[in-house]
Amino acid sequence: MLPGLKAGFTLDARLEADSEQLMWLGLCELRVMNDRRWPWLLLVPQRPGAEEIHDMTPLDQAMLTFETNMVAQALKKATGCTKINTGALGNIVRQLHIHVIARSEGDPGWPGPVWGHGLREPYQRSDLRRFAETIRAAL
């Protein structure tokens, strides 16, 4: 079994299509949303059937909080952004996943939410790799 892969866990097809794997953390798979308009990361807890944070054990909830904070700090450090937006909506993709997005005044859609704003602009492969390396270094 691959490191970090939990028995019975399958990544939602839409998350897999819209993002790229960055690395495994203790509980979560860390992914980069493939939209260059915003530095945007996803944490996906490797727990089959989890749709809400309260679906997880208290220990997993604590670990999720720790990993979310660690990723948010790294993203802020790496980007110098004005604000970090963190959210777990799940209205379209039910599988529990946490969005961590770097926002800055003047970015597309500021100060509104990123969801539903324009069309996704995929990264060039080299830019995605560069961003991923920046995040790994900040972690």
Side-chain angles (χ1 to χ4, degrees):
M1 187 175 298
L2 295 171
L5 188 60
K6 305 300 182 216
F9 179 83
T10 304
L11 183 65
D12 181 273
R14 184 160 174 165
L15 293 179
E16 190 165 7
D18 290 348
S19 63
E20 299 282 332
Q21 183 183 26
L22 178 60
M23 65 191 300
W24 296 98
L25 303 171
L27 172 68
C28 297
E29 178 182 358
L30 180 60
R31 301 183 65 85
V32 177
M33 191 66 139
N34 193 6
D35 189 339
R36 66 184 181 84
R37 296 175 297 166
W38 301 281
W40 185 342
L41 303 173
L42 296 173
L43 290 105
V44 185
Q46 303 295 285
R47 295 296 184 255
E51 292 185 0
E52 307 288 351
I53 294 171
H54 63 258
D55 291 338
M56 298 191 311
T57 67
L59 181 59
D60 281 352
Q61 292 173 25
M63 191 67 173
L64 179 60
T65 299
F66 173 79
E67 290 179 4
T68 300
N69 289 337
M70 180 177 70
V71 166
Q73 288 172 343
L75 186 58
K76 186 149 189 164
K77 177 182 174 185
T79 65
C81 65
T82 304
K83 183 76 176 98
I84 293 288
N85 290 176
T86 304
L89 290 96
N91 296 342
I92 295 173
V93 174
R94 291 297 176 115
Q95 182 174 59
L96 179 59
H97 60 288
I98 310 296
H99 298 266
V100 182
I101 309 160
R103 301 295 307 275
S104 293
E105 293 179 34
D107 74 22
W110 178 269
V114 298
W115 293 278
H117 181 82
L119 297 175
R120 183 168 65 106
E121 297 176 16
Y123 281 97
Q124 295 290 327
R125 215 66 189 131
S126 59
D127 293 336
L128 183 63
R129 279 194 299 274
R130 192 174 308 111
F131 176 58
E133 286 306 315
T134 302
I135 297 302
R136 280 189 195 97
L139 285 167

